[in-house]
Coordinates of all heavy atoms in Angstrom, one line a residue:
Y189 N 60.3 4.5 61.8 CA 59.1 5.4 61.6 C 59.2 6.6 62.4 O 59.9 6.7 63.4 CB 57.8 4.6 62.0 CG 57.6 4.4 63.5 CD1 57.0 5.3 64.2 CD2 58.1 3.3 64.1 CE1 56.8 5.2 65.6 CE2 58.0 3.1 65.5 CZ 57.3 4.1 66.2 OH 57.2 3.9 67.6
L190 N 58.4 7.6 62.0 CA 58.1 8.8 62.8 C 56.6 8.9 62.9 O 55.9 8.7 61.9 CB 58.6 10.1 62.1 CG 60.1 10.2 61.9 CD1 60.4 11.4 60.9 CD2 60.8 10.5 63.2
A191 N 56.1 9.1 64.1 CA 54.7 9.0 64.3 C 53.9 9.9 63.4 O 52.9 9.5 62.8 CB 54.3 9.3 65.8
H192 N 54.3 11.2 63.2 CA 53.6 12.1 62.3 C 53.6 11.6 60.8 O 52.7 11.7 60.1 CB 54.1 13.5 62.4 CG 55.4 13.8 61.8 ND1 56.6 13.5 62.4 CD2 55.7 14.3 60.5 CE1 57.6 13.9 61.6 NE2 57.1 14.3 60.5
S193 N 54.7 10.9 60.4 CA 54.8 10.4 59.1 C 53.8 9.2 58.9 O 53.2 9.0 57.8 CB 56.2 10.0 58.7 OG 57.1 11.1 58.7
V194 N 53.8 8.4 59.9 CA 52.8 7.3 59.9 C 51.4 7.7 59.8 O 50.6 7.2 59.0 CB 53.0 6.3 61.1 CG1 51.9 5.3 61.2 CG2 54.4 5.7 61.1
R195 N 51.1 8.8 60.6 CA 49.7 9.3 60.5 C 49.4 9.9 59.1 O 48.3 9.7 58.5 CB 49.5 10.4 61.6 CG 49.3 9.8 62.9 CD 48.8 10.9 63.9 NE 48.5 10.3 65.2 CZ 49.3 10.4 66.2 NH1 50.4 11.1 66.2 NH2 49.0 9.8 67.4
E196 N 50.4 10.6 58.5 CA 50.2 11.2 57.2 C 50.1 10.1 56.2 O 49.2 10.1 55.3 CB 51.4 12.0 56.8 CG 51.5 13.4 57.5 CD 52.8 14.1 57.2 OE1 53.5 13.8 56.3 OE2 53.0 15.1 58.0
H197 N 50.9 9.0 56.3 CA 50.8 7.8 55.4 C 49.3 7.3 55.4 O 48.8 7.0 54.4 CB 51.8 6.8 55.8 CG 51.7 5.5 55.0 ND1 52.3 5.4 53.8 CD2 51.1 4.3 55.3 CE1 52.0 4.2 53.3 NE2 51.3 3.5 54.2
W198 N 48.8 7.0 56.7 CA 47.5 6.4 56.7 C 46.4 7.4 56.3 O 45.4 7.0 55.8 CB 47.2 5.9 58.2 CG 47.9 4.6 58.4 CD1 49.0 4.4 59.2 CD2 47.7 3.4 57.7 NE1 49.4 3.1 59.1 CE2 48.7 2.5 58.2 CE3 46.8 2.9 56.8 CZ2 48.7 1.1 57.8 CZ3 46.9 1.6 56.3 CH2 47.8 0.7 56.8
S199 N 46.6 8.7 56.4 CA 45.7 9.7 55.8 C 45.6 9.5 54.3 O 44.5 9.5 53.7 CB 46.0 11.1 56.2 OG 45.9 11.3 57.6
V200 N 46.8 9.3 53.7 CA 46.8 9.1 52.2 C 46.1 7.8 51.9 O 45.4 7.7 50.9 CB 48.3 9.2 51.7 CG1 48.4 8.7 50.3 CG2 48.9 10.5 51.9
V201 N 46.4 6.8 52.7 CA 45.8 5.4 52.4 C 44.3 5.5 52.5 O 43.6 5.0 51.6 CB 46.3 4.4 53.4 CG1 45.5 3.1 53.3 CG2 47.8 4.1 53.1
L202 N 43.8 6.2 53.5 CA 42.3 6.3 53.7 C 41.7 7.2 52.6 O 40.6 6.8 52.0 CB 42.0 6.9 55.1 CG 42.3 6.1 56.3 CD1 42.0 6.8 57.6 CD2 41.6 4.7 56.2
D203 N 42.4 8.2 52.1 CA 41.9 9.0 51.0 C 41.9 8.2 49.7 O 41.0 8.2 48.9 CB 42.8 10.2 50.8 CG 42.7 11.3 51.9 OD1 41.7 11.2 52.6 OD2 43.5 12.2 52.0
L204 N 43.0 7.3 49.5 CA 43.0 6.5 48.4 C 41.8 5.5 48.4 O 41.2 5.2 47.4 CB 44.3 5.7 48.4 CG 44.5 4.6 47.3 CD1 44.4 5.2 45.9 CD2 45.8 3.8 47.5
H205 N 41.5 4.9 49.6 CA 40.4 4.0 49.7 C 39.1 4.7 49.3 O 38.3 4.1 48.6 CB 40.4 3.4 51.1 CG 39.2 2.5 51.3 ND1 38.1 2.9 52.0 CD2 39.0 1.3 51.0 CE1 37.2 2.0 52.0 NE2 37.7 0.9 51.4
E206 N 38.9 5.9 49.8 CA 37.7 6.6 49.5 C 37.6 6.9 48.0 O 36.5 6.8 47.4 CB 37.6 7.9 50.3 CG 37.2 7.7 51.7 CD 35.9 7.0 51.9 OE1 34.9 7.4 51.3 OE2 35.8 6.1 52.7
Y207 N 38.7 7.3 47.4 CA 38.7 7.6 46.0 C 38.4 6.3 45.2 O 37.6 6.3 44.3 CB 40.1 8.1 45.6 CG 40.3 8.2 44.1 CD1 39.8 9.3 43.4 CD2 41.0 7.3 43.4 CE1 39.9 9.4 42.1 CE2 41.2 7.4 42.0 CZ 40.6 8.5 41.3 OH 40.7 8.6 40.0
Q208 N 39.0 5.2 45.6 CA 38.7 3.9 44.8 C 37.3 3.5 45.0 O 36.6 3.0 44.1 CB 39.6 2.8 45.4 CG 41.1 3.0 44.9 CD 42.0 1.9 45.4 OE1 41.6 1.1 46.4 NE2 43.2 1.8 44.9
K209 N 36.7 3.7 46.2 CA 35.3 3.4 46.4 C 34.4 4.2 45.6 O 33.5 3.7 45.0 CB 35.0 3.6 47.9 CG 33.8 2.9 48.4 CD 33.8 2.7 49.9 CE 33.2 4.0 50.6 NZ 32.9 3.8 52.0
R210 N 34.7 5.5 45.5 CA 33.9 6.4 44.6 C 34.0 6.0 43.2 O 33.0 6.0 42.4 CB 34.3 7.9 44.8 CG 33.8 8.5 46.1 CD 33.9 10.0 46.1 NE 35.3 10.5 45.9 CZ 36.2 10.6 46.8 NH1 35.9 10.4 48.1 NH2 37.4 11.0 46.5
Q211 N 35.2 5.7 42.7 CA 35.4 5.2 41.4 C 34.7 4.0 41.0 O 34.0 3.9 40.0 CB 36.9 5.0 41.1 CG 37.8 6.2 41.0 CD 37.4 7.1 39.8 OE1 36.8 8.1 40.0 NE2 37.8 6.7 38.7
N212 N 34.7 3.0 42.0 CA 33.9 1.8 41.8 C 32.4 2.0 41.7 O 31.7 1.4 40.9 CB 34.2 0.8 42.9 CG 35.6 0.2 42.8 OD1 36.2 0.2 41.7 ND2 36.2 -0.3 43.9
Q213 N 31.9 2.9 42.6 CA 30.5 3.3 42.5 C 30.2 3.9 41.2 O 29.1 3.7 40.7 CB 30.2 4.2 43.7 CG 30.2 3.4 45.0 CD 30.0 4.4 46.2 OE1 30.1 5.6 46.1 NE2 29.7 3.8 47.4
A214 N 31.0 4.8 40.7 CA 30.8 5.5 39.5 C 30.8 4.5 38.3 O 29.9 4.6 37.4 CB 31.8 6.6 39.2
N215 N 31.7 3.5 38.4 CA 31.7 2.5 37.3 C 30.6 1.6 37.4 O 30.1 1.0 36.3 CB 33.0 1.7 37.4 CG 34.3 2.6 37.0 OD1 34.1 3.6 36.4 ND2 35.4 2.2 37.5
D216 N 30.0 1.3 38.6 CA 28.9 0.5 38.7 C 27.6 1.2 38.4 O 26.5 0.6 38.5 CB 28.8 -0.1 40.1 CG 30.0 -1.1 40.4 OD1 30.6 -1.6 39.4 OD2 30.3 -1.4 41.5
G217 N 27.7 2.5 38.2 CA 26.5 3.3 38.0 C 25.7 3.6 39.2 O 24.5 4.0 39.2

Side-chain angles (χ1 to χ4, degrees):
Y189 73 90
L190 295 169
H192 74 274
S193 296
V194 171
R195 283 194 176 103
E196 287 174 13
H197 176 81
W198 284 111
S199 291
V200 171
V201 170
L202 294 176
D203 289 345
L204 174 64
H205 177 259
E206 285 301 314
Y207 173 78
Q208 288 178 347
K209 200 161 87 172
R210 284 193 305 273
Q211 289 295 105
N212 289 339
Q213 288 172 346
N215 291 340
D216 292 340

